[in-house]
Amino acid sequence: MVLELQKPRPIWQIMFSTHHTDVGLLYLISSLAFLFLGGTLALAIRAELFLPGAQIIGDAMTFNRIFTVHGTTLIFLFIIPFASAVGNYYVPIMVRYKDMAYPKLNAIAFWMIPPAGALIWLGFADFTWYATPPYSIISAPGPAADMWIFGLKILGISSVLGAINFIVTILKCKHPDMSIGQVPLLAWSFLSSSLIILVAIPTFAAALLMLLTDRLGVSGFFNPAMGGDPIAYAHLFWFTFHPEVYVLVIPAIGMMYEIIPRFSRKPIYSYNSGVFAFVLLSIVGFSSWAHHMYATGMSFTEKTVFMVGTLAAVPASAMHVFNFVATMWNGRIKFSTPMMWAVGGIALFFSAGAGGVANAAMPLDFTTHDTYWVVGHFHLFVMGTIAFGSIGFLYYMFPYVTGRMYNETMGKIHFVMSFVGTVLVFFTQHVLGLYGMPRRIFDYPPIPEWIAMNQIATVGAMVIGVSMAIFLANMIYSSGKGQLANTEDPFGVGGKYYYPFEAKNPSH
């Protein structure tokens, strides 16, 4: 079996390579595979909720299992590995080094992902990607729950190893003539998100260990029957996973920083403010975890502190949006597929951010807490910003990886259908939340407004599903049969394509 990229090679040469582009390719393929697996489960969930009553999923337990694996897959097995794929491909080239700082450790970090994914999919746990105690301790059936915990532990170790590699590569291996103030913003995004991982992940690793020992009956950290406190788990979880949201989004913003100047044919408006905003987001990400917990009995003073901490992320996020708009202003913009995805991602980032401000405000949060508003907000952020930035960059790097061009028309159809579908699904879910529909439910009463909005959301999800089928066909066909790319300037925007094709590092 050969994999036709820039030149055909046996697949095992790529699998057992430690070269950063080969490891990046492995990350890319596995993350896209999990994207389609997790997306299929999303379609099943939306089909089930098209009408009240059981439709295609037999019972609530099965629904919860699908729900759990869908969320876990798309967050931990698609978004994070996809960012690692981009980082592996481009960070060493950006800092002008021959490879990642620790190539073998880099390959080990990738090869932890398949067994972790297998544990999560073979177990099919039912306690949501949150692993909510006390249910996850007392009632969640094993071995599914234990397999999920072990899978997440392995993914956590993989993320930490990857983060160490990015930090050392950028700070210690960059070319001596390159100051830290000259490192491209995409590399800065990986440096910032890697630092967040090093601070945040150990907390969740400890929480998972405590959860496991609680399940084994050895301890009772989160078990009320043994004097434990489930709210303590919520604090540990959100201390990790609110900053983790920035781990997900910061690389996607970094990818937009590569696309938008290129297709606007202008340099980025303000490099320094982009760097400052990345650093600021990395810090304030840790000051906002408790806004997820306003309803748990915190004091007014505590809630006020965390409301202010959460709102501190607004100017940093706005700084990125301002930079993008200012870069495009008076630019000679070419709306090729990557640019369309980036601009769409900016628009949806702005929309998701506006919803986040509402979540941070205490009175509004009490109104929307645990409703479909939260589902719409989170998914608009993840799908509308992170996935849009990532998919746009995938189109952007396609000629670099394969030496061929994708079908531009199919790429634009993919974008238009995805954008329309995203608006239909997630904007509708915001309104559905305002109408009071709770999240994480298998069935709902036949309220006409709820039925109508669930049907709109399901139709939107199906539109996205069709667009992703077009995307898959385009990628597979174009990888082997697409037109050979002009490696100097595949998008016809002038200048050299990112880095000269011939300047790729030799294998070693």
Side-chain angles (χ1 to χ4, degrees):
M1 180 178 180
V2 295
L3 192 65
E4 181 162 359
L5 296 170
Q6 292 170 29
K7 61 179 183 178
R9 280 188 293 163
I11 194 168
W12 53 85
Q13 280 191 7
I14 297 172
M15 291 176 66
F16 298 110
S17 169
T18 60
H19 190 259
H20 68 100
T21 55
D22 290 334
V23 176
L25 183 64
L26 293 174
Y27 269 114
L28 186 65
I29 293 172
S30 68
S31 65
L32 291 177
F34 282 117
L35 166 65
F36 283 94
L37 289 171
T40 302
L41 296 185
L43 293 180
I45 292 168
R46 285 312 322 166
E48 172 56 43
L49 294 172
F50 187 76
L51 287 170
Q55 305 300 318
I56 62 168
I57 300 173
D59 54 76
M61 173 66 84
T62 306
F63 180 85
N64 289 340
R65 289 181 185 276
I66 292 173
F67 178 85
T68 299
V69 176
H70 153 71
T72 307
T73 298
L74 289 181
I75 292 173
F76 298 106
L77 297 171
F78 161 56
I79 293 176
I80 295 176
F82 183 88
S84 296
V86 173
N88 267 281
Y89 248 95
Y90 288 101
V91 165
I93 298 169
M94 286 177 169
V95 299
R96 289 153 56 190
Y97 190 61
K98 61 184 180 181
D99 203 332
M100 297 291 283
Y102 309 114
K104 291 180 181 176
L105 197 66
N106 197 32
I108 290 171
F110 166 75
W111 282 108
M112 287 183 169
I113 292 177
L119 283 170
I120 291 164
W121 272 78
L122 293 175
F124 240 68
D126 70 331
F127 48 28
T128 81
W129 74 283
Y130 186 99
T132 315
Y135 176 79
S136 57
I137 299 166
I138 299 170
S139 304
D146 307 293
M147 291 169 75
W148 185 92
I149 292 171
F150 276 107
L152 265 286
K153 294 288 285 185
I154 293 171
L155 289 174
I157 295 170
S158 170
S159 292
V160 169
L161 294 180
I164 293 170
N165 228 336
F166 280 126
I167 292 169
V168 177
T169 303
I170 295 168
L171 294 183
K172 293 294 184 185
C173 301
K174 63 181 173 57
H175 195 277
D177 293 340
M178 176 182 280
S179 72
I180 190 68
Q182 294 173 315
V183 171
L185 284 167
L186 180 58
W188 262 104
S189 73
F190 281 98
L191 179 60
S192 305
S193 58
S194 297
L195 290 170
I196 297 175
I197 287 173
L198 285 192
V199 177
I201 289 294
T203 304
F204 186 57
L208 280 180
L209 192 60
M210 294 157 79
L211 199 68
L212 184 63
T213 55
D214 278 9
R215 282 183 57 80
L216 296 173
V218 178
S219 61
F221 295 109
F222 312 125
N223 187 350
M226 298 175 70
D229 182 5
I231 300 298
Y233 176 84
H235 278 291
L236 294 173
F237 180 89
W238 287 119
F239 179 81
T240 298
F241 282 102
H242 194 82
E244 186 77 5
V245 170
Y246 297 106
V247 171
L248 307 180
V249 75
I250 285 176
I253 293 173
M255 296 173 205
M256 293 179 189
Y257 271 119
E258 291 297 316
I259 294 172
I260 288 171
R262 171 69 59 191
F263 289 90
S264 300
R265 300 181 235 208
K266 282 178 63 187
I268 193 68
Y269 173 73
S270 173
Y271 171 91
N272 289 335
S273 67
V275 172
F276 179 72
F278 279 141
V279 175
L280 187 60
L281 277 177
S282 305
I283 296 170
V284 300
F286 289 95
S287 66
S288 53
W289 86 86
H291 84 247
H292 294 269
M293 304 172 63
Y294 286 156
T296 59
M298 296 168 63
S299 71
F300 181 78
T301 303
E302 289 169 327
K303 284 185 278 196
T304 304
V305 168
F306 282 104
M307 184 175 75
V308 173
T310 304
L311 293 175
V314 174
S317 303
M319 213 176 291
H320 290 306
V321 174
F322 182 81
N323 279 349
F324 294 144
V325 174
T327 302
M328 288 187 284
W329 189 265
N330 282 335
R332 293 185 298 118
I333 300 174
K334 181 170 183 176
F335 281 103
S336 297
T337 301
M339 187 63 170
M340 294 177 73
W341 282 91
V343 172
I346 294 168
L348 297 174
F349 180 47
F350 185 82
S351 306
V357 172
N359 290 343
M362 280 184 279
L364 291 172
D365 182 77
F366 278 112
T367 303
T368 58
H369 187 79
D370 266 348
T371 69
Y372 253 83
W373 171 282
V374 179
V375 179
H377 164 68
F378 178 70
H379 282 80
L380 190 59
F381 200 68
V382 171
M383 174 67 190
T385 305
I386 301 169
F388 269 54
S390 300
I391 292 172
F393 199 82
L394 179 59
Y395 280 109
Y396 181 64
M397 68 191 292
F398 189 86
Y400 191 86
V401 176
T402 66
R404 295 178 180 274
M405 280 303 291
Y406 57 84
N407 184 295
E408 184 73 21
T409 303
M410 291 175 74
K412 289 179 176 175
I413 293 172
H414 177 207
F415 165 75
V416 171
M417 292 181 70
S418 295
F419 189 84
V420 171
T422 298
V423 170
L424 284 176
V425 180
F426 305 121
F427 280 53
T428 305
Q429 287 182 340
H430 279 78
V431 182
L432 194 54
L434 295 177
Y435 271 80
M437 180 165 166
R439 61 174 174 164
R440 298 171 179 161
I441 58 171
F442 167 61
D443 195 8
Y444 55 91
I447 300 171
E449 292 83 0
W450 289 19
I451 295 173
M453 282 187 275
N454 271 300
Q455 291 177 343
I456 293 170
T458 301
V459 169
M462 297 304 164
V463 171
I464 296 174
V466 173
S467 78
M468 294 305 289
I470 294 170
F471 166 64
L472 182 62
N474 192 7
M475 292 294 104
I476 292 174
Y477 180 81
S478 300
S479 295
K481 302 293 183 183
Q483 289 185 349
L484 291 175
N486 171 9
T487 53
E488 292 289 321
D489 182 19
F491 297 100
V493 291
K496 290 280 188 181
Y497 172 46
Y498 197 60
Y499 289 92
F501 199 76
E502 295 78 9
K504 283 193 66 180
N505 299 329
S507 298
H508 63 87

